[in-house]
Amino acid sequence: MAFNRRTLLAGAAAGAALPLVTPLRHARAQAANTIRIGVLNDQSGLYRDLSGPGSTQAVRLAIQESGITTRGVNVEVVEADHQNRPDVGSTVVRQWLDRDNFDVIVDVPTSSVALAVNTLVRERNKVFLCSGAATSDLSGPACSPNTIHWTYDTWMLARGTGGAMVAAGGRTWFFITADYAFGHALERDVSAFVRNAGGQVVGSVRTPFPGTTDFSSFLLQAQQSRAQVIGLANAGGDTINSIKQAAEFGITRRGTRLAGLLVFITDVHALGLPTSQGLVLTETFYWDLNDRTRAFTQRLGRMPNDVRPSMVQAGCYSAVLHYLKAVEAMGVAAAKASGAAAVERMKSIPTSDDCFGEGTIRPDGRKIHAAYLFQVKTPQESRGPWDYYKLLQTIPANEAFRPVTEGNCPLVRT
Amino acid sequence: MTELWYDLEPFLQQGTLGLVNGAFYALLSLGLAVIFGMLNVINFAHGAQFMLGAVVAWMLLTYAGIGYWGALLLSPLIVGLLGVVIERTMISRLYKLDHLYGLLLTFGLALIIEGLVRNQYGVSGLPYGVPDAFRMPPVDLGYMLMPAYRFWIVVVSITVCLGTWYAIEKTKLGSYLRAAVERPQLVQAFGVNVPLMMTATYGTGVALAAFAGVLAAPVYSVHPGMGANFIIIVFAVVVIGGMGSIMGSVVSGYALGMIEGFTRVYYPEASATVVFVIMAIVLLVRPAGLFGRA
């Protein structure tokens, strides 16, 4: 038999390595006056719709609107697929930073990959603008003078959705947790919230990531624990499958509540309103939130697969726009020479854009803005495509994120 | 006694759920075993064809208003025909070559099919609800509530598996097929159109994958990667059952679904790997697989 597991793995590895070949050979003549931005995210897997090519589109819009190119600075954008694997992501970033002289890495969903990139960028003194990843460790123990954690984090999700569930009487919790850095961080942060509010965590189960399709066994274990709330510490396709199967098994029929701790608008779209109606979720950006977000969505134009921008994609826009402001303020040469200096300059300027309004960046690298608690509309309430959320509560910027003193970030220790 | 019952409850629950997953493993590995057993082709595109079955079901509903029952018939037919085209134009040229060429070709096809669907529909998935006939409260089994649709999956899967086994092992057509595998020239000399049988077999195998895809659409998220999640496990199932053994793949499909279910109770982190551990052990002890002929 010529077929065995080794040939199978070799075939899979060959296929996996293909997207690593990025086209990149340019004249070095203009290199000194060129900012190189690498958008690293999931281009093929379960986080593609909420980041993927849409993030690159948002970055291009930011470059165009910054007007920096009309003032003689070149900005190049390249995108790559990390396939949600830290090894793949690290290889791409090493190549970008060591061989191709990139200045900025943007997006990077999947916390395990983001933590690896965080270290690499710091060692080489470049800039990491993290929008896609969730782990609050990026502004905690793993904080770096070269990293800004832009859009959201696990603490914010815990404060928003977790806090709302506890306030509504959900005292006992059971977690279904994706078994990697993000899931662990989210479970930890929500658990702390539940306990502080006098609640109790009665159990949790860790599901293999990626590769779990059937969540019904985990849902039944959760139901058997008699917890009032089942916390879904997962994201993207995992959350979609969990919610779909919870509806099928009638998990919420006996009064158990389902808390989707990280739900993106693309997930709601994939589930459809009949299944997702009533879900409570926290985001920092919603395309239909106000005139400014609607204007941004309009300017962004048609997105891949006709989706509306997610908060991750909006974060890529906002972060790059702000970075380019800092570059203009300090000069291209200085910004390229030291990533830490560029980040320092970014922290010294208040942020302002259509997606997140006015904001600031803290010394620990945490970008601060308001967060919003939304509820998914019923099919009757929705007036048209992508009209999915109603606003329950605005969490002001100074309450939305973990206080700087509680994060254990070595940069701010006195 | 009540305590024993309490201990037994999760065991029964996961066993029952494992049966449902096993139903998918069995259906998918059945198609793979048919194709490998009869054509000697390792059909790596099986997962993509499974996904295509679900996506075509969604397309039938969205663009033509054809519901679940129509899709259960039409989707395998459409995807099966696509399989026929693939077999005629590409795979049939590789029969005389090493297995590896067929593997590489079908692996490439899988990447292309998945890429096309991803470009068209994204990765988050397409909504597909449980058919109206099964929209009732879950059935109370005493130890758990089981959605009616999941019963249907198990019943259909067992029926189709037994039917396929019967067709290949016990009917005249099946005997021609098996003979054509052993001695193609001789069978052709008796006036049997062997290439046509090969084409029909591949089409049937692909249709089985698409059929499983339609069954899966209401319970799993319909997205381009849904087949890739399954296919590696299903290959392990086929290896454990014995490459090309119909009964072996069906029995090990159900058994591994249940073992995976039990693992989820006692050590959930390992539930994705337990199948491969078993595969390694089986390959050490019986390299031809449990039901394979060495």
Side-chain angles (χ1 to χ4, degrees):
Chain A
M1 190 175 70
F3 167 74
N4 59 27
R5 180 148 171 84
R6 186 175 297 163
T7 49
L8 191 156
L9 284 177
L18 275 177
L20 288 180
V21 187
T22 47
L24 224 157
R25 285 285 178 276
H26 282 285
R28 309 254 163 186
Q30 287 194 305
N33 205 29
T34 300
I35 297 285
R36 286 200 165 147
I37 300 176
V39 180
L40 180 68
N41 58 28
D42 182 358
Q43 300 270 330
S44 54
L46 74 176
Y47 301 149
R48 179 183 193 261
D49 287 353
L50 60 92
S51 61
S55 289
T56 316
Q57 191 174 335
V59 167
R60 289 190 199 283
L61 181 70
I63 296 166
Q64 184 198 330
E65 292 188 351
S66 75
I68 195 166
T69 50
T70 61
R71 290 184 282 280
V73 179
N74 297 317
V75 184
E76 290 178 3
V77 181
V78 172
E79 63 185 347
D81 188 0
H82 65 35
Q83 301 170 54
N84 300 317
R85 284 162 46 189
D87 53 334
V88 177
S90 300
T91 309
V92 175
V93 169
R94 275 202 195 94
Q95 184 181 316
W96 276 354
L97 299 183
D98 296 346
R99 201 191 70 193
D100 301 326
N101 294 314
F102 274 62
D103 303 293
V104 190
I105 309 294
V106 185
D107 203 1
V108 198
T110 312
S111 294
S112 45
V113 188
L115 288 167
V117 172
N118 184 50
T119 311
L120 290 173
V121 170
R122 182 177 191 167
E123 283 166 5
R124 289 155 180 79
N125 195 17
K126 303 291 185 181
V127 177
F128 178 24
L129 304 175
C130 181
S131 181
T135 177
S136 59
D137 286 359
L138 284 168
S139 60
C143 73
S144 146
N146 299 74
T147 297
I148 300 178
H149 197 188
W150 204 270
T151 309
Y152 71 107
D153 66 27
T154 49
W155 196 94
M156 175 221 101
L157 297 169
R159 160 78 175 78
T161 314
M165 283 288 177
V166 173
R171 290 278 155 193
T172 51
W173 285 63
F174 187 100
F175 289 98
I176 294 178
T177 305
D179 194 12
Y180 73 109
F182 151 71
H184 301 171
L186 187 51
E187 182 189 331
R188 177 197 66 206
D189 288 348
V190 179
S191 299
F193 246 98
V194 171
R195 292 203 186 94
N196 284 344
Q200 195 190 351
V201 177
V202 294
S204 74
V205 61
R206 300 249 159 114
T207 66
F209 173 90
T212 305
T213 312
D214 185 42
F215 284 83
S216 52
S217 348
F218 306 121
L219 288 163
L220 278 194
Q221 289 180 43
Q223 196 181 32
Q224 209 156 40
S225 74
R226 311 242 179 269
Q228 291 164 322
V229 181
I230 301 175
L232 301 176
N234 50 24
D238 284 355
T239 311
I240 294 171
N241 267 328
S242 309
I243 294 173
K244 193 169 178 175
Q245 287 160 20
E248 190 203 346
F249 275 80
I251 295 289
T252 52
R253 228 174 270 260
R254 288 173 176 169
T256 311
R257 298 189 66 186
L258 212 56
L261 296 168
L262 177 51
V263 179
F264 293 98
I265 189 156
T266 41
D267 302 335
V268 173
H269 185 69
L271 280 164
L273 289 183
T275 313
S276 60
Q277 59 180 311
L279 269 181
V280 173
L281 54 96
T282 313
E283 295 221 57
T284 51
F285 166 88
Y286 171 46
W287 72 274
D288 202 10
L289 184 67
N290 55 45
D291 289 340
R292 291 182 79 180
T293 57
R294 281 186 287 271
F296 163 76
T297 306
Q298 186 86 39
R299 295 202 304 276
L300 195 56
R302 191 172 177 273
M303 303 274 289
N305 309 117
D306 240 346
V307 301
R308 293 293 178 277
S310 69
M311 67 171 163
V312 169
Q313 291 155 344
C316 290
Y317 163 86
S318 163
V320 170
L321 192 67
H322 192 68
Y323 169 76
L324 294 176
K325 276 183 205 165
V327 170
E328 288 220 63
M330 67 196 294
V332 177
K336 284 179 78 75
S338 164
V343 167
E344 200 52 49
R345 184 57 74 99
M346 288 175 79
K347 288 175 182 170
S348 70
I349 318 171
T351 66
S352 170
D353 57 72
D354 282 351
C355 298
F356 302 93
E358 317 306 311
T360 53
I361 303 164
R362 275 195 328 216
D364 59 357
R366 177 68 255 166
K367 160 79 160 59
I368 300 296
H369 42 241
Y372 308 94
L373 191 67
F374 293 110
Q375 186 165 35
V376 177
K377 289 183 172 179
T378 63
Q380 293 77 33
E381 286 170 324
S382 173
R383 295 183 313 265
W386 296 93
D387 176 25
Y388 290 155
Y389 294 170
K390 55 188 174 198
L391 183 64
L392 291 182
Q393 189 195 339
T394 301
I395 305 166
N398 59 354
E399 290 175 25
F401 292 93
R402 180 175 58 201
V404 69
T405 48
E406 290 173 20
N408 288 323
C409 166
L411 291 179
V412 292
R413 235 173 240 160
T414 46
Chain B
M1 191 62 202
T2 34
E3 259 181 41
L4 178 72
W5 177 244
Y6 189 76
D7 288 341
L8 217 58
E9 210 177 76
F11 204 71
L12 285 171
Q13 287 179 348
Q14 301 306 333
T16 314
L17 288 174
L19 210 60
V20 180
N21 282 336
F24 283 116
Y25 294 159
L27 265 182
L28 284 171
S29 55
L30 176 69
L32 273 183
V34 168
I35 292 172
F36 183 79
M38 304 296 137
L39 276 63
N40 274 336
V41 167
I42 298 158
N43 186 29
F44 233 99
H46 214 65
Q49 287 153 347
F50 163 76
M51 175 270 292
L52 220 47
V55 171
V56 168
W58 176 86
M59 288 164 84
L60 286 170
L61 180 71
T62 312
Y63 302 128
I66 297 170
Y68 177 81
W69 300 106
L72 209 52
L73 190 72
L74 281 177
S75 176
L77 217 59
I78 295 168
V79 182
L81 277 177
L82 191 74
V84 167
V85 174
I86 289 173
E87 199 273 347
R88 279 288 75 198
T89 53
M90 290 178 252
I91 294 176
S92 59
R93 295 160 198 272
L94 302 178
Y95 288 142
K96 292 198 180 85
L97 300 174
D98 191 85
H99 293 325
L100 263 180
Y101 291 92
L103 185 149
L104 286 174
L105 172 72
T106 49
F107 184 61
L109 283 172
L111 289 180
I112 292 171
I113 295 171
E114 279 173 19
L116 287 174
V117 175
R118 186 158 57 227
N119 272 357
Q120 191 61 34
Y121 298 112
V123 296
S124 293
L126 309 160
Y128 199 89
V130 172
D132 285 336
F134 297 102
R135 277 187 197 281
M136 52 178 97
V139 183
D140 197 342
L141 294 178
Y143 55 90
M144 69 181 287
L145 293 172
M146 181 81 162
Y149 185 74
R150 299 226 169 193
F151 276 116
W152 164 247
I153 292 174
V154 176
V155 170
V156 172
S157 162
I158 291 177
T159 314
V160 171
C161 287
L162 288 180
T164 310
W165 173 79
Y166 185 84
I168 289 178
E169 300 288 335
K170 301 288 172 199
T171 65
K172 196 146 196 179
L173 182 69
S175 67
Y176 285 176
L177 260 178
R178 282 177 289 130
V181 177
E182 300 284 331
R183 293 268 190 285
Q185 274 98 357
L186 192 64
V187 175
Q188 197 138 20
F190 284 133
V192 177
N193 188 344
V194 172
L196 180 73
M197 276 174 69
M198 297 287 203
T199 308
T201 308
Y202 188 76
T204 310
V206 172
L208 276 173
F211 183 78
V214 183
L215 272 185
V219 290
Y220 299 135
S221 152
V222 179
H223 66 99
M226 69 187 285
N229 289 349
F230 268 107
I231 197 67
I232 301 293
I233 291 185
V234 170
F235 265 108
V237 169
V238 173
V239 171
I240 292 168
M243 296 289 294
S245 160
I246 309 283
M247 205 35 130
S249 62
V250 173
V251 172
S252 48
Y254 278 99
L256 288 166
M258 290 174 72
I259 291 172
E260 198 185 53
F262 297 141
T263 316
R264 285 184 172 155
V265 190
Y266 299 106
Y267 190 37
E269 289 90 337
S271 58
T273 34
V274 65
V275 172
F276 301 107
V277 174
I278 294 175
M279 181 179 84
I281 296 169
V282 168
L283 284 181
L284 282 176
V285 181
R286 278 184 69 99
L290 293 178
F291 292 75
R293 279 160 296 208

